[in-house]
Amino acid sequence: MRVALFTGLVSALIMAGVLSSSAQAARRDDFPSCYAILNRPDLAARPARRELFVIVDQTVPLNRSLKRSVYRKVHRFLKAGDRLTLLTFSAFAKDRYAAMSLTGKLDYPLAKDVRYRTSIPALKKFDHCMQEQRHYVDHQVGEKLKAALDHASTNLPKTELAGSLAQFGRTLIGKSKAGHVDVLIVSDMLENSDVTSFYRHGHVKSIDAGDALKKIAGAGFISNWGNARVYVIGAGFAADRGYRGEDTLKSLEDFWRAYFQRSHARLAGWGQPELMTDLQ
């Protein structure tokens, strides 16, 4: 009910012309802004302090524990002024193309000088709106994450992992205007494409990181991620409870560490499969 009231309030302000057309024409934002109350589209235009890209590999059905871990990491990370973008991908199969499920920015609190120049009634409305915005964002993030994770399936022919990551890097991650960019990848990190495969005879193999990276780079699957910090949940995860040897998992981490370095990013957290640290 409170989600409907929040969206109804902001929609009414937009329809009444309180929010300028220039603000509505800006980058897609699925979180209605409280700045509409103050008629301050200039505040809404400020770039995000941080942006978190959550990339969900829908060829990997996670267990309940790992799904909960994803929820917790994302919710603990988000603060006022942050932007969240949720992306999904799987194989290049029917109805399974890469998609942006959610993207939006949380408003910044008002600076002291702005509050001083704002009427008390407007401030009360704004402060209330900010509280409701956070509830709305938490609800939307929870719903969209649940849908992304629950629609994972093993009944797909390939995992176009490196190609999808390169596409996201070129079109979104490398173009972010945020001061700091973090990427959370929810995947077993097992490439299985026409370019290269981390499987042999149906089993995960030990990877020659240098050879695999050469193939990936030759296919054009490297892009500039603008010094983003990368975290992984689910690396080596075996939904079929198959065994992953320590040497195999180490070679998997070595490959992706080198891949992200080539992509102008840093592997800041490797969850194998659980990520033990929070996003920074």
Side-chain angles (χ1 to χ4, degrees):
M1 176 63 72
R2 68 190 307 169
V3 171
L5 290 173
F6 173 68
T7 52
L9 166 65
V10 180
S11 297
L13 290 168
I14 293 173
M15 291 296 292
V18 175
L19 188 61
S20 72
S21 59
S22 61
Q24 294 180 58
R27 179 180 171 183
R28 170 183 159 187
D29 198 330
D30 298 330
F31 305 151
S33 173
C34 295
Y35 298 132
I37 292 171
L38 308 178
N39 193 19
R40 292 294 303 270
D42 57 312
L43 297 178
R46 292 175 61 188
R49 182 174 58 94
R50 305 180 300 172
E51 180 159 11
L52 174 62
F53 291 91
V54 181
I55 302 176
V56 176
D57 176 356
Q58 292 189 309
T59 69
V60 185
L62 298 182
N63 60 31
R64 183 176 298 179
S65 175
L66 287 175
K67 287 180 181 180
R68 287 177 176 171
S69 180
V70 174
Y71 296 141
R72 288 195 297 267
K73 301 293 185 191
V74 173
H75 284 296
R76 279 202 293 262
F77 176 88
L78 286 177
K79 301 290 188 298
D82 288 347
R83 173 176 280 274
L84 172 75
T85 299
L86 174 60
L87 305 164
T88 60
F89 76 95
S90 54
F92 296 138
K94 183 180 179 182
D95 298 329
R96 287 288 183 166
Y97 45 81
M100 181 188 293
S101 301
L102 184 71
T103 185
K105 182 167 71 71
L106 284 77
D107 290 334
Y108 288 94
L110 294 180
K112 289 182 179 180
D113 62 326
V114 177
R115 294 187 68 89
Y116 181 77
R117 297 194 303 270
T118 303
S119 70
I120 292 177
L123 279 177
K124 288 182 177 180
K125 289 181 180 179
F126 177 82
D127 291 342
H128 177 68
C129 183
M130 286 286 284
Q131 293 178 357
E132 294 302 304
Q133 184 191 61
R134 183 62 203 229
H135 291 301
Y136 175 82
V137 169
D138 286 344
H139 175 79
Q140 289 297 305
V141 170
E143 289 289 308
K144 296 297 184 180
L145 270 177
K146 184 179 187 304
L149 295 169
D150 287 353
H151 283 99
S153 171
T154 57
N155 298 321
L156 294 164
K158 298 285 186 180
T159 303
E160 303 284 351
L161 182 51
S164 297
L165 294 180
Q167 177 189 4
F168 293 144
R170 282 191 295 269
T171 59
L172 294 166
I173 300 169
K175 294 184 176 181
S176 174
K177 303 299 183 183
H180 297 279
V181 177
D182 293 81
V183 182
L184 175 62
I185 302 174
V186 184
S187 171
D188 61 8
M189 305 305 288
L190 296 173
E191 177 80 10
N192 185 24
S193 67
D194 293 337
V195 175
T196 189
S197 176
F198 294 169
Y199 292 89
R200 180 185 292 118
H201 305 305
H203 299 282
V204 180
K205 66 180 182 180
S206 185
I207 303 157
D208 183 326
D211 181 65
L213 187 60
K214 184 177 180 180
K215 291 178 180 178
I216 291 293
F221 291 165
I222 301 288
S223 57
N224 189 337
W225 286 31
N227 299 315
R229 294 173 297 196
V230 181
Y231 301 83
V232 173
I233 289 180
F237 179 73
D240 59 0
R241 298 185 181 180
Y243 175 71
R244 309 282 197 249
E246 187 62 33
D247 289 344
T248 298
L249 292 173
K250 181 62 169 63
S251 69
L252 182 66
E253 181 180 359
D254 288 344
F255 167 79
W256 286 110
R257 190 174 299 278
Y259 174 88
F260 292 123
Q261 186 174 10
R262 283 284 297 272
S263 302
H264 302 281
R266 178 172 64 89
L267 184 59
W270 179 257
Q272 195 175 281
E274 178 66 87
L275 180 62
M276 299 302 179
T277 60
D278 278 339
L279 312 182
Q280 301 298 315

